[in-house]
Amino acid sequence: MTIINSNKLTLSGVTSSADFEVFLPELDGDLLLDQDEEWCEVLVDGRRDRIRFHDYHRIYDIPGMYERLFYDMLECVSPRLVRDLLATALADHAMNPENLRVLDVGAGNGMVGEEIRTLGVETVHGVDILEEAAAATRRDRPNVYDDYLVADLTDLTLEQHDVLVHADLNTMTTVAALGFGDIPPAAFVGAFNLIETPGLLAFTIKDDFLRDNDPSGFSRLIQRMLAEKTIVPLAVKHYRHRLSVHGKPLDYIAFVARKTGDVPVAWVR
Ligand SMILES: C[S@@+](CC[C@H](N)C(=O)[O-])C[C@H]1O[C@@H](n2cnc3c(N)ncnc32)[C@H](O)[C@@H]1O
């Protein structure tokens, strides 16, 4: 783990709005933050606080901060890229977006749902572990989801499971939400198995998580799903998800795949 000596950090104001200002750290020398250690400072109502990027609940609570930080300052493209890749796959395989009933997993404040709607998809459900994500979606994108469930996908109650099964969903999207203490392989599989067969899966994942030595469990899982043909790729793209706080590219892979069967839970034990 990188140890940071905060005396070596300076902060540069990058952007401001009427309500808040976000500052990214300028790191001295070769101090490098891992992606799950990244942080910024935010000035709201005269008070300046440090927020770790993965403390999403704090970011969602500040209207516009998620968009400002990740999209304006760090140039995140993932929701738009997944929408475009899904659009290409649908067109190439003569599939009608109106027939998709989407479960957006790790839906956050609704940016992916909003993109998916532009394809003409009529049914989009969201699920996220954070009440703050649901509240931010109600505040900022109130009409994007037909229903938004606050639930931990690693530990769904029977009632939450039934709500999702009865929604008859046939497509799963999950963008920038896998690994890093967010959605683990077992939760990914749990959500995937809620989707009808045949179905569709569109997701992004950091490319490191698909390497042979990946400790997250995703590499083994995705390789097995491909090998056993529980998913059949329709479109794949290696791309720059966003910049790190150091201005370096963070590379991800986006997949759109056909679902041809459920994943046995034993694969993620
Ligand atoms: C980086 S955000 C991505 C949000 C959105 N997909 C986007 O691209 O803007 C990751 C989201 O995954 C959610 N998440 C993490 N672990 C989860 C879990 N076990 N079950 C459901 N959602 C989870 C987080 O709360 C967070 O909103």
Side-chain angles (χ1 to χ4, degrees):
M1 180 190 289
T2 312
I3 307 290
I4 301 158
N5 175 354
S6 48
N7 293 333
K8 286 192 164 183
L9 302 176
T10 57
L11 293 159
S12 64
V14 176
T15 187
S16 66
S17 78
D19 304 307
F20 64 89
E21 245 183 291
V22 179
F23 302 86
L24 291 179
E26 276 181 5
L27 298 171
D28 209 13
D30 43 32
L31 284 174
L32 280 184
L33 293 177
D34 287 340
Q35 194 174 337
D36 61 352
E37 296 174 324
E38 290 182 313
W39 54 270
C40 63
E41 289 190 354
V42 62
L43 180 67
V44 189
D45 294 337
R47 187 189 150 123
R48 190 156 163 158
D49 282 317
R50 182 180 290 198
I51 300 184
R52 228 182 113 236
F53 285 7
H54 280 98
D55 286 337
Y56 294 115
H57 60 289
R58 298 182 64 194
I59 298 178
Y60 293 141
D61 270 350
I62 300 172
M65 180 173 171
Y66 186 85
E67 290 83 347
R68 176 67 52 82
L69 174 62
F70 292 114
Y71 291 85
D72 298 346
M73 295 167 72
L74 299 176
E75 303 177 9
C76 178
V77 298
S78 287
R80 176 71 52 90
L81 184 128
V82 167
R83 183 207 62 184
D84 291 346
L85 203 64
L86 184 56
T88 303
L90 292 172
D92 287 351
H93 295 83
M95 288 184 269
N96 185 348
E98 287 176 14
N99 296 331
L100 268 46
R101 297 182 301 281
V102 174
L103 177 62
D104 183 25
V105 171
N109 63 355
M111 296 191 71
V112 175
E114 185 172 60
E115 291 290 349
I116 297 300
R117 285 278 185 199
T118 66
L119 297 175
V121 175
E122 288 177 0
T123 304
V124 188
H125 289 235
V127 60
D128 200 286
I129 196 170
L130 293 175
E131 178 51 55
E132 291 87 347
T137 303
R138 282 194 298 274
R139 180 191 66 213
D140 302 334
R141 298 180 178 81
N143 301 317
V144 159
Y145 296 102
D146 297 275
D147 191 31
Y148 194 114
L149 187 65
V150 176
D152 180 354
L153 283 163
T154 62
D155 192 20
L156 286 182
T157 64
L158 260 182
E159 194 185 341
Q160 290 168 337
H161 181 269
D162 285 353
V163 165
L164 293 174
V165 167
H166 289 127
D168 295 329
L169 302 162
N170 62 13
T171 302
M172 169 174 158
T173 56
T174 186
V175 176
L178 303 181
F180 290 124
D182 283 336
I183 294 169
F188 175 82
V189 164
F192 179 80
N193 287 349
L194 291 168
I195 299 301
E196 291 173 359
T197 301
L200 280 178
L201 170 67
F203 72 103
T204 71
I205 188 162
K206 189 173 169 65
D207 62 359
D208 288 349
F209 293 159
L210 294 183
R211 297 191 200 289
D212 287 342
N213 58 356
D214 153 64
S216 77
F218 274 109
S219 179
R220 210 168 348 122
L221 172 64
I222 302 297
Q223 284 182 30
R224 184 144 189 200
M225 289 170 77
L226 290 167
E228 309 258 354
K229 296 194 170 38
T230 48
I231 52 171
V232 176
L234 302 179
V236 181
K237 194 169 172 90
H238 205 153
Y239 72 103
R240 192 188 80 184
H241 159 61
R242 67 167 170 84
L243 297 174
S244 72
V245 283
H246 308 284
K248 303 269 186 268
L250 296 176
D251 292 328
Y252 276 50
I253 299 182
F255 281 84
V256 176
R258 205 187 287 280
K259 172 180 177 178
T260 63
D262 283 351
V263 168
V265 284
W267 291 8
V268 282
R269 275 209 193 107

